[in-house]
Amino acid sequence: MKLHTKMMQRLTSLWTSGITRASLGLAILCGMAPEALAGGKRWGPVPFASDFGYRFEDLFWLITWLCVGSFSIVVIMILIPSVRDRYKPGRKAHFDHGASLKDKRLATVISAATFLVLDAWVLVIAMTDLREAWWNIPESEEAGVYEVEVLAQQWAWNFRHKGADGKFGTADDILQMNELTVPNGRSVSFQGTSKDVIHSLFIPAMRFKKDFNPGDINSVWFKPITAGNYTILCAELCGYAHYQMFGELHVLESDTFDNWAADASELGVAAYDSEDTEARWAWDWKE
Amino acid sequence: MTSETSMRRSTTLIACLATLAFAALASFRGDSAPAEATLEEHAEEQAADEHGAPAEAEKPHMRAPIGVDLYVREDAWLRAPGPEWFKKQSDLQPGRFTFNEEGGDGEGEWVDAQNVYRLIYDEEEDVYAYWSWAGPEQLTRGRQDFLQFCSSCHGIDGDGYGRSGQWLRPSPRSFHQSNFKFTKVIQPLPTDAALMRLIKRGLEGTPMLPWALSDEQLTDIIQYIKYLSPEGEGWRDPFTGVGDVVESGEDTWVGKEEYAIERGKRLYHDPSGANCALCHPGYVNPSALGKLLGDDSVKARESYYLPVLKDSAYEVQGQPVKIMPPDFTWHQVRAGTTTQDLFETIASGIKGTAMPQWKGALTDEDLWALAHYVESLINDYKGKPDARAEFMKGLREAK
């Protein structure tokens, strides 16, 4: 046999062995881990900027590390017997169906433990987060709640603010398209619907996502804690230009925001055409 | 009866009962709980409140795309640009057209790889006009792409009443009106290249996106859009001129931008200059206007720092709508914010609105100066609420 054919065979057998592949995978994972832990740019979600963002962050990393942990255990439990019990001349195979009472008990305990540790743990945290944060939409009467109406369409986001008079559907409403300006440190409460198909308002930095459906009004909220500019996306495939349906969220400090809102409301009045009833789409805030 | 059969029967029975129970529950919910007011109903109620009469039940926006004919079975002769365009294109791409003369009076046809252009004498109107031909296959392709990409806003019939176009201002174009606002051409109608440029770039701050379609698809769609012109109007009118994007030439103020901004500022506010501040907001304090222009008799209009609404020349649902001249420190300019884009927009005007064509009325030098001034307003104040608030404070306070 030629030398290079032999070498190729060696290499092939090396590659096809589970040990090589598993250790390669582990090496890659280990290489990724420091960057992921340090919150690097390439790995993990964008830094959060809303007050319930840490809940998402905690849950996300809990699930990630639980998966990494349980995957490692499975890999190790495959590796140990495949190394320990590998072929040796004269060794005889032992067959076992795992049907003894001892085996059944062990399997039951492991399954129950897996469910309680992995699923129930995550489920309890997730339900607590939903109750205390995402579904805990602030009431209108609460002080400092800033309300915005959203009308999604193919392929743009329409936002409506109350303007100076504190009412929706009036001349001084602030209308924005693909751009949303909100004050920092105040709860921003959305009610939204769609003109045509299902869209989903997604602001990754604020850690929320909500579907807006035609003919129905859905609510969602967040409370920004860091001023800055963030991306608004559509997270529901809504047609050909879905990929172009994005906007920008500006979170302004309260002084700047007051300046902005006063100017915006004044220009809203200047742009208001009282005869053009076709152009209006506001609704009364649903309690 | 085997146990298996009886089990299967009982399963079926349970399934039937569950279905019945579900149906009963659903109907019960439908009876007892009144359906939440939908957006349309609410809009109707609101309209009824304001005018004392209920709004129309059937809106043109509400048509469903059911039973829509996907085919165009006729061909069309559509207006093509004039002889200057053919000459210019032949200079740019020598050998693009072959000319087949027919008869002695200059009639004939120009043929290139895509199309046939023909100079036809219209006996009724006594006028020569250049036309291009669009066949049923091309129009069908155009219609099918139009339905897929454009109809959600521009409507199934291209009349601007698409479902996603409702409540939308500025409203989507109606292709039955042959009015194109931002094509940046001097002539009433744009060439295919000008329309293609617009569609590829999109209009900023609107759902008219930059469309990433192939040139072939866009060419078909454009022929279909032109085909939507009513008989004797727009693309089917022998008298309407078709032109290319306005030529900007070289910026005459390179290296002297601050002088350009100064000059642009004067022209912008000067009633005997461009007088932009007649509709757009003025960006000087009324008391400082006389000093800027060197003429104390000039008086600012009321609410000088706000834009003034103007009626459109085109119609939306049978009525003109109000067009707002943008406040450059605030609103998104639709057709690009580079100096050249602004030059082209100012030079060609915006069709169907109060924004006239300035090419010819002002020299190119002045147009560039205005473009520089508008660009400086956008760069200095747009998207900067604090800087703008400070600036506006100076404008509002009487000195």
Side-chain angles (χ1 to χ4, degrees):
Chain A
M1 200 182 283
K2 280 179 184 168
L3 184 68
H4 76 264
T5 323
K6 227 174 188 177
M7 277 179 70
M8 282 311 291
Q9 273 181 353
R10 283 270 171 81
L11 278 173
T12 317
S13 65
L14 197 66
W15 173 241
T16 44
S17 84
I19 301 169
T20 320
R21 283 206 230 173
S23 40
L24 206 67
L26 272 175
I28 291 170
L29 276 176
C30 292
M32 276 161 60
E35 207 181 344
L37 284 171
K41 275 184 187 159
R42 279 179 64 200
W43 308 104
V46 292
F48 64 87
S50 63
D51 78 334
F52 56 52
Y54 76 91
R55 290 171 181 268
F56 175 96
E57 207 79 351
D58 289 355
L59 194 60
F60 176 85
W61 288 114
L62 175 69
I63 295 172
T64 306
W65 291 116
L66 281 177
C67 290
V68 169
S70 49
F71 175 71
S72 308
I73 292 169
V74 171
V75 169
I76 289 164
M77 292 190 47
I78 293 170
L79 280 177
I80 290 172
S82 57
V83 174
R84 189 188 61 196
D85 306 333
R86 68 185 181 278
Y87 171 76
K88 274 177 192 160
R91 178 177 278 182
K92 200 153 182 273
H94 167 72
F95 294 97
D96 185 4
H97 296 285
S100 69
L101 191 60
K102 193 182 140 210
D103 290 338
K104 282 177 183 167
R105 275 189 189 143
L106 187 68
T108 312
V109 168
I110 289 175
S111 310
T114 311
F115 173 75
L116 288 174
V117 174
L118 300 186
D119 300 64
W121 186 7
V122 168
L123 196 68
V124 166
I125 295 176
M127 294 316 283
T128 316
D129 286 350
L130 281 175
R131 197 182 66 242
E132 290 177 359
W134 283 278
W135 290 346
N136 189 18
I137 297 167
E139 302 284 329
S140 284
E141 298 87 53
E142 279 177 41
V145 178
Y146 191 79
E147 287 167 346
V148 178
E149 289 186 350
V150 188
L151 182 62
Q153 69 167 96
Q154 282 178 332
W155 289 279
W157 294 104
N158 298 273
F159 299 101
R160 182 182 282 269
H161 306 245
K162 282 175 171 174
D165 69 351
K167 274 186 200 137
F168 284 111
T170 51
D172 65 351
D173 281 9
I174 304 166
L175 285 159
Q176 288 186 289
M177 181 172 278
N178 287 342
E179 228 185 346
L180 174 63
T181 310
V182 295
N184 192 14
R186 284 171 68 178
S187 301
V188 182
S189 180
F190 294 99
Q191 285 191 359
T193 184
S194 165
K195 287 183 191 179
D196 33 45
V197 299
I198 303 175
H199 300 275
S200 183
L201 182 69
F202 180 30
I203 309 184
M206 298 301 163
R207 299 289 189 269
F208 78 83
K209 187 189 282 180
K210 187 79 180 179
D211 277 15
F212 290 148
N213 309 329
D216 196 10
I217 292 170
N218 279 354
S219 303
V220 70
W221 78 291
F222 72 98
K223 185 175 181 178
I225 52 171
T226 318
N229 296 329
Y230 307 97
T231 314
I232 301 171
L233 298 166
C234 178
E236 182 68 62
L237 182 60
C238 59
Y240 171 77
H242 164 64
Y243 73 103
Q244 288 199 64
M245 185 174 168
F246 49 76
E248 198 164 47
L249 170 72
H250 309 290
V251 179
L252 303 180
E253 294 299 354
S254 57
D255 291 351
T256 314
F257 179 79
D258 292 344
N259 284 337
W260 177 87
D263 283 0
S265 196
E266 192 177 26
L267 278 164
V269 176
Y272 185 75
D273 177 6
S274 57
E275 287 160 27
D276 193 6
T277 50
E278 247 335 283
R280 281 174 230 158
W281 54 265
W283 56 88
D284 296 331
W285 196 259
K286 267 174 61 173
E287 294 300 335
Chain B
M1 195 198 290
T2 62
S3 68
E4 200 186 327
T5 325
S6 78
M7 212 160 117
R8 204 179 291 156
R9 278 197 188 156
S10 57
T11 317
T12 319
L13 192 69
I14 289 167
C16 288
L17 282 173
T19 316
L20 275 173
F22 183 75
L25 199 69
S27 67
F28 172 70
R29 274 195 60 195
D31 286 344
S32 65
E36 303 271 6
T38 60
L39 204 62
E40 292 88 2
E41 282 168 3
H42 188 84
E44 276 169 29
E45 278 168 23
Q46 211 176 25
D49 288 348
E50 278 163 12
H51 298 285
E56 284 171 21
E58 194 76 1
K59 277 201 214 166
H61 296 293
M62 291 301 161
R63 282 164 304 180
I66 296 165
V68 166
D69 192 356
L70 292 172
Y71 295 89
V72 180
R73 292 176 188 83
E74 53 182 357
D75 62 347
W77 282 99
L78 304 163
R79 280 301 313 280
E84 309 83 38
W85 183 81
F86 286 99
K87 193 172 175 305
K88 197 178 146 198
Q89 296 302 315
S90 305
D91 291 346
L92 286 173
Q93 281 174 271
R96 173 172 164 183
F97 296 105
T98 45
F99 179 62
N100 307 321
E101 199 172 332
E102 296 166 5
D105 52 355
E107 282 195 29
E109 59 182 31
W110 285 258
V111 183
D112 72 355
Q114 287 133 32
N115 218 329
V116 179
Y117 303 88
R118 189 185 272 257
L119 179 65
I120 301 174
Y121 176 67
D122 191 326
E123 279 175 18
E124 246 176 69
E125 308 285 355
D126 186 26
V127 64
Y128 282 101
Y130 287 83
W131 301 85
S132 69
W133 184 76
E137 295 85 11
Q138 187 180 27
L139 292 175
T140 295
R141 287 198 303 272
R143 171 161 176 78
Q144 291 175 2
D145 282 345
F146 181 89
L147 286 172
Q148 186 178 355
F149 302 119
C150 319
S151 68
S152 62
C153 285
H154 290 285
I156 292 161
D157 302 329
D159 52 9
Y161 302 143
R163 186 171 263 271
S164 311
Q166 55 188 333
W167 305 302
L168 192 63
R169 293 292 178 275
S171 53
R173 224 92 306 272
S174 160
F175 299 118
H176 298 186
Q177 294 187 28
S178 304
N179 178 66
F180 296 89
K181 276 164 85 176
F182 292 106
T183 42
K184 297 176 175 176
V185 298
I186 297 281
Q187 302 276 8
L189 293 175
T191 57
D192 288 6
L195 265 180
M196 195 183 282
R197 190 173 99 142
L198 186 147
I199 299 171
K200 279 184 174 177
R201 294 176 57 160
L203 297 174
E204 286 168 33
T206 75
M208 180 69 197
L209 303 161
W211 289 94
L213 302 178
S214 71
D215 284 8
E216 289 77 20
Q217 276 176 309
L218 286 177
T219 309
D220 294 343
I221 292 174
I222 287 167
Q223 301 312 315
Y224 177 69
I225 287 172
K226 285 151 72 170
Y227 160 80
L228 289 173
S229 272
E231 201 59 53
E233 283 176 41
W235 304 101
R236 294 158 183 266
D237 171 21
F239 294 105
T240 320
V242 179
D244 220 335
V245 174
V246 62
E247 277 178 36
S248 57
E250 288 290 309
D251 181 357
T252 44
W253 295 91
V254 178
K256 303 175 282 183
E257 278 83 2
E258 60 264 48
Y259 298 106
I261 291 168
E262 209 47 49
R263 184 171 177 76
K265 189 176 176 182
R266 278 184 61 103
L267 279 164
Y268 184 97
H269 295 95
D270 191 351
S272 53
N275 202 11
C276 307
L278 186 69
C279 308
H280 293 275
Y283 298 106
V284 294
N285 190 293
S287 61
L289 190 61
K291 201 180 155 211
L292 173 79
L293 304 174
D295 179 3
D296 282 335
S297 64
V298 180
K299 291 279 171 278
R301 62 173 167 78
E302 213 182 316
S303 301
Y304 198 47
Y305 59 90
L306 289 173
V308 179
L309 293 183
K310 293 279 159 180
D311 268 335
S312 64
Y314 56 88
E315 293 181 342
V316 177
Q317 298 219 2
Q319 291 177 18
V321 288
K322 292 278 196 295
I323 306 277
M324 188 185 52
D327 180 341
F328 301 108
T329 64
W330 189 271
H331 298 115
Q332 180 67 52
V333 178
R334 303 275 176 247
T337 52
T338 65
T339 328
Q340 179 164 354
D341 286 331
L342 291 166
F343 174 95
E344 288 168 354
T345 310
I346 299 168
S348 61
I350 296 165
K351 304 272 181 295
T353 73
M355 177 76 182
Q357 164 203 327
W358 286 101
K359 183 114 179 162
L362 294 175
T363 63
D364 276 12
E365 199 180 20
D366 286 348
L367 288 172
W368 278 111
L370 274 173
H372 276 290
Y373 177 57
V374 171
E375 195 190 9
S376 78
L377 288 171
I378 296 170
N379 290 344
D380 291 351
Y381 304 113
K382 190 179 175 302
K384 296 168 184 159
D386 284 336
R388 186 182 184 273
E390 191 65 28
F391 176 63
M392 295 304 287
K393 213 171 128 194
L395 299 190
R396 288 191 187 112
E397 279 167 5
K399 277 177 189 152

